[in-house]
């Protein structure tokens, strides 16, 4: 992440070289992503007792999502949105946007370097005494672990149940401002939608994980509730966007509510899925099992983004109706 963030900050005047450096930096950042994304179950098993593990997994995995929530706000607040503003064609305003983007890249490089320095200074691998039998037990080797995972039909089904909705949603939410542009939703409004859906998912996810710690054996039931809610929310969002077919009103209230509920239900399911993976394939190491499902999730996210590069519409949508509060 330090190398990737540093490559994006190299001051090169040639735009083609700068573009290649930015792509290289994004590639390095992407390579580091799965390690951070699937570290939560390993940390919770290593450092916490069984009745605290689900909560620890939720906090570690969902606090990582808060960085994404902050990105929804920091981007539009630091860099002025160019869409819908004709005066940005002037040289001075274009230079202002460029300066703000570079300032944000330098700030990200500074934060990543600070965290990297802290990890070098002090980052113990495990506590002095193992908190549980699972933390002290011997795990399978990498080769035997992969063989066990690929031959476990139940794990593969759960992995697909995680990777398809979470992967597609991650890619979809990352370009939410572009998707909502045809219905005249600004970049700032799209950022607030992404922010509240992620924050709501973090709060609900930690609450659900705490409930799972108190009452064991409820992981499947909790996942069914969350995925059912996500299905209803996504159906609501789709029907309201198809106004020419369903004739349902597309207002600010319905758009915010459906998108935020979808994010809450899906984001809060992440730690529950991770705990279910660990229980299903034990004694496979947590990092390997969660790494496989994170890889699958990134594959589906990449497929969505690949097809979005070919998406183009010339349709004219009606402006979004403002929600009139009483």
């Amino acid at each position: 992440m330090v190398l990737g963030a540093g490559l994006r900050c190299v001051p090169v005047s040639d735009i083609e070289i700068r573009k290649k450096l930015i792509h290289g930096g994004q590639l390095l950042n992407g390579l580091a992503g799965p390690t951070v994304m699937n570290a939560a179950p390993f940390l919770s098993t290593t450092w916490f007792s069984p009745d605290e593990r689900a909560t620890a997994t939720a906090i570690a995995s969902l606090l990582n999502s808060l960085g994404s929530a902050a990105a929804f706000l920091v981007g539009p607040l630091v860099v002025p949105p160019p869409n819908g503003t004709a005066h940005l064609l002037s040289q001075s305003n274009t230079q202002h946007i460029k300066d703000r983007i570079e300032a944000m890249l330098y700030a990200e490089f500074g934060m990543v370097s600070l965290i990297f320095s802290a990890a070098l200074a002090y980052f113990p691998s495990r506590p002095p005494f193992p908190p549980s039998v699972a933390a002290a037990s011997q795990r399978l080797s990498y080769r035997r672990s992969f063989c066990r995972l690929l031959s476990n039909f139940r794990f593969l089904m759960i992995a697909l149940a995680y990777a398809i909705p979470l992967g597609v949603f991650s890619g979809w939410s990352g370009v939410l401002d572009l998707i909502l542009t045809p219905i005249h939703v600004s970049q700032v409004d799209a950022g607030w939608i992404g922010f509240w859906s992620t924050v709501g998912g973090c709060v609900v996810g930690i609450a659900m994980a705490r409930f799972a710690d108190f009452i064991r054996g409820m992981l499947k039931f909790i996942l069914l509730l969350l995925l059912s809610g996500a299905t209803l929310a996504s159906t609501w969002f789709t029907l309201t966007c198809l106004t020419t077919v369903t004739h349902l009103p597309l207002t600010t209230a319905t758009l915010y509510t459906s998108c935020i509920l979808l994010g809450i239900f899906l984001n809060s399911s992440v730690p529950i899925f991770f705990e279910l993976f660990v229980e299903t394939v034990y004694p496979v190491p947590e990092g390997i099992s969660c790494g496989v499902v994170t890889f699958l999730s990134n594959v589906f996210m990449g497929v969505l983004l690949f097809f979005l590069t070919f998406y183009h519409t010339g349709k004219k949508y009606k402006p979004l109706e403002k929600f009139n509060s009483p």
Side-chain angles (χ1 to χ4, degrees), residues 61-121:
S61 59
L62 295 177
L63 284 184
N64 182 39
S65 300
L66 285 182
S68 302
F72 283 114
L73 295 185
V74 172
L77 292 177
V78 175
V79 182
N83 50 335
T85 52
H87 66 278
L88 289 175
L89 296 176
S90 63
Q91 184 71 22
S92 60
N93 286 314
T94 302
Q95 185 62 38
H96 174 66
I97 293 179
K98 179 182 177 182
D99 293 339
R100 300 294 288 178
I101 292 176
E102 290 182 348
M104 188 172 67
L105 293 179
Y106 282 122
E108 290 176 351
F109 175 65
M111 288 186 290
V112 172
S113 300
L114 180 63
I115 297 173
F116 177 68
S117 301
L120 285 180

Side-chain angles (χ1 to χ4, degrees), residues 130-145:
S132 63
V133 177
S137 61
Q138 185 70 26
R139 301 304 177 91
L140 299 179
S141 63
Y142 281 97
R143 184 175 180 178
R144 292 186 61 191
S145 297

Side-chain angles (χ1 to χ4, degrees), residues 52-323:
E52 301 171 328
R53 199 174 63 193
T55 305
T57 301
I59 294 175
S61 59
L62 295 177
L63 284 184
N64 182 39
S65 300
L66 285 182
S68 302
F72 283 114
L73 295 185
V74 172
L77 292 177
V78 175
V79 182
N83 50 335
T85 52
H87 66 278
L88 289 175
L89 296 176
S90 63
Q91 184 71 22
S92 60
N93 286 314
T94 302
Q95 185 62 38
H96 174 66
I97 293 179
K98 179 182 177 182
D99 293 339
R100 300 294 288 178
I101 292 176
E102 290 182 348
M104 188 172 67
L105 293 179
Y106 282 122
E108 290 176 351
F109 175 65
M111 288 186 290
V112 172
S113 300
L114 180 63
I115 297 173
F116 177 68
S117 301
L120 285 180
Y122 182 74
F123 193 81
S125 59
R126 58 182 58 86
F129 303 100
S132 63
V133 177
S137 61
Q138 185 70 26
R139 301 304 177 91
L140 299 179
S141 63
Y142 281 97
R143 184 175 180 178
R144 292 186 61 191
S145 297
F146 280 110
C147 293
R148 177 75 67 87
L149 293 179
L150 296 179
S151 61
N152 191 327
F153 181 76
R154 183 186 179 193
F155 167 78
L156 295 177
M157 292 298 100
I158 301 174
L160 288 178
Y162 168 86
I164 295 176
L166 268 299
V168 171
F169 176 75
S170 297
W172 178 80
S173 60
V175 292
L176 187 60
D177 55 337
L178 299 178
I179 293 175
L180 297 180
T181 296
I183 55 177
H184 304 281
V185 176
S186 68
Q187 176 179 308
V188 175
D189 287 334
W192 279 111
I193 292 174
F195 173 80
W196 287 117
S197 63
T198 306
V199 171
C202 293
V203 175
V204 175
I206 293 175
M208 288 292 182
R210 195 59 188 155
F211 175 75
D213 274 334
F214 281 118
I215 304 178
R216 309 297 296 179
M218 298 288 289
L219 296 180
K220 180 180 178 180
F221 177 72
I222 294 174
L223 281 179
L224 288 175
L225 288 180
L226 295 176
L227 293 179
S228 299
T231 302
L232 294 176
S234 60
T235 303
W236 182 18
F237 173 80
T238 303
L239 293 178
T240 53
C241 287
L242 297 175
T243 53
T244 57
V245 178
T246 61
H247 303 288
L248 294 175
L250 178 60
T251 65
T252 305
T254 59
L255 182 66
Y256 265 71
T257 305
S258 59
C259 287
I260 291 174
L261 284 177
L262 177 60
I264 287 176
F265 286 126
L266 286 181
N267 287 325
S268 59
S269 68
V270 173
I272 308 299
F273 265 117
F274 280 172
E275 281 299 302
L276 191 60
F277 292 139
V278 173
E279 291 186 2
T280 302
V281 298
Y282 183 85
V284 174
E286 297 84 2
I288 296 178
S289 58
C290 295
V292 170
V293 297
T294 301
F295 170 77
L296 291 176
S297 176
N298 288 336
V299 167
F300 285 104
M301 178 176 62
V303 170
L304 173 70
L305 296 177
F306 174 77
F307 281 107
L308 283 179
T309 59
F310 301 101
Y311 173 76
H312 174 73
T313 177
K315 295 181 180 180
K316 298 289 186 180
Y317 292 83
K318 294 187 296 183
L320 187 66
E321 300 175 12
K322 292 297 182 182
F323 174 68

